Amino acid sequence: MAGIVLEIGSSVTKFDIGDEIYGNIQDFNAEENLKQLGTLAELIVVEESLIARKPKNLSFEEAASLPLAVQTAIEGFKTAGFKEGQSIFVVGGAGGVGTLVVQLAKHLYGASYVVATTSTPKVEFVKKLGADKVVDYTKTRYEDINEKYDFVYDTIGDSKNSFLVAKDDAPIVDITWPLTNPRAVYSSLTVSGENLEKLRPYLEGGKLKAVIDPTGPYNFGDVIEAFRYLETGRARGKVVISPFPSQHLPSSIPSESKNNVTSEMDLKKIYAS
């Protein structure tokens, strides 16, 4: 989610009313039961440890598309112990996580060779994200690929087949459950506002970009339509739902209006954990 701080609890130290923030409010590693599940609301309560200040160059929709996907993507590299100079094969390069895996591999983790799969209409799109080579899975089978890679990052749960392009000792990370290959390692995510803060220079510097499916953002009144589209598996990047009346939002609120936020911008509340 992404939004504007309207209220703060007495123990909050990192944020003030009027701050533009974003994050994933669902900490699946929490010792206790989840306190929040879902963000389809104009007002929500979040824990300050899970959020970060929104990068200045991103719209609220762009920012909201990132936390879950980018933290999932990063966790996969950590799980694999990926090293600079290694090659990577990304299964599902045009998806919500895959688009970020390709960018991270190329621009942050220093991969020597980035290859990703996608369907015919999205080949050029994935190339523009930074892939050195794109494999059209509608035309090429894993069995037909001669090269072997240092790391196979499977974002769609096809590790029962994609393992064929991995070197003998290469890690295979799968972000879906249950795993379809005993050789694959499951990777989830660690939710942290601090992790998002570390990405700020890459986002504001343009090395890492949010990718929103061109059919959206969807309005609150079109939530069912958005989920139906998501279930087709044809999404390019992330599907975003926004309560704002316009798809083209300013990246920030003028300072003189921060203390008088209109109802259209009244998105989120923050309280201390």
Side-chain angles (χ1 to χ4, degrees):
M1 64 86 201
I4 299 166
V5 179
L6 296 183
E7 297 180 20
I8 58 175
S10 60
S11 299
V12 171
T13 60
K14 298 179 181 178
F15 302 98
D16 294 313
I17 293 174
D19 284 347
E20 299 174 356
I21 51 87
Y22 77 128
N24 178 8
I25 71 169
Q26 298 163 188
D27 184 4
F28 292 100
N29 296 318
E31 295 181 1
E32 301 176 0
N33 294 333
L34 288 175
K35 298 177 182 178
Q36 292 284 350
L37 186 62
T39 56
L40 289 178
E42 292 185 78
L43 297 170
I44 59 172
V45 178
V46 304
E47 299 179 56
E48 68 172 347
S49 63
L50 303 181
I51 60 175
R53 284 180 173 78
K54 181 179 72 67
K56 296 178 181 179
N57 59 321
L58 299 185
S59 69
F60 286 99
E61 290 97 339
E62 289 171 325
S65 76
L66 285 169
L68 175 62
V70 76
Q71 291 184 94
T72 299
I74 289 172
E75 195 79 5
F77 285 95
K78 293 180 179 179
T79 300
F82 188 80
K83 297 179 178 61
E84 183 178 354
Q86 291 185 319
S87 59
I88 179 174
F89 188 94
V90 184
V91 183
V97 175
T99 54
L100 292 164
V101 172
V102 170
Q103 293 182 73
L104 288 167
K106 191 67 176 180
H107 303 303
L108 273 75
Y109 287 100
S112 60
Y113 194 46
V114 180
V115 179
T117 68
T118 193
S119 59
T120 306
K122 303 173 186 175
V123 169
E124 292 304 316
F125 163 70
V126 175
K127 284 183 179 178
K128 291 180 180 179
L129 292 175
D132 297 300
K133 179 180 179 180
V134 179
V135 175
D136 185 342
Y137 67 78
T138 68
K139 300 177 180 179
T140 305
R141 302 177 303 169
Y142 296 115
E143 297 92 323
D144 301 326
I145 299 173
N146 296 322
E147 301 92 347
K148 303 296 180 183
Y149 299 88
D150 297 313
F151 175 28
V152 173
Y153 199 138
D154 197 315
T155 70
I156 66 172
D158 196 28
S159 56
K160 67 180 183 296
N161 299 309
S162 62
F163 79 95
L164 291 173
V165 300
K167 292 181 179 179
D168 291 340
D169 58 346
I172 301 170
V173 165
D174 195 330
I175 65 171
T176 67
W177 186 264
L179 298 175
T180 59
N181 186 336
R183 182 180 164 187
V185 177
Y186 175 69
S187 176
S188 181
L189 76 159
T190 299
V191 181
S192 166
E194 184 178 351
N195 288 341
L196 294 176
E197 285 290 356
K198 291 178 181 178
L199 293 174
R200 176 186 294 274
Y202 299 100
L203 289 164
E204 293 186 341
K207 288 187 176 182
L208 187 61
K209 298 180 180 179
V211 180
I212 295 179
D213 186 272
T215 63
Y218 290 79
N219 188 267
F220 265 19
D222 301 316
V223 167
I224 293 176
E225 181 185 345
F227 275 93
R228 283 175 176 164
Y229 173 67
L230 186 64
E231 290 172 349
T232 67
R234 296 197 298 267
R236 179 182 300 188
K238 296 295 289 184
V239 175
V240 175
I241 296 168
S242 173
F244 292 104
S246 172
Q247 295 181 10
H248 306 287
L249 301 171
S251 293
S252 61
I253 302 176
S255 57
E256 62 268 20
S257 66
K258 280 193 174 182
N259 293 323
N260 187 26
V261 183
T262 67
S263 59
E264 291 177 351
M265 305 293 275
D266 286 355
L267 270 182
K268 313 297 176 187
K269 292 183 179 180
I270 299 180
Y271 288 92
S273 59

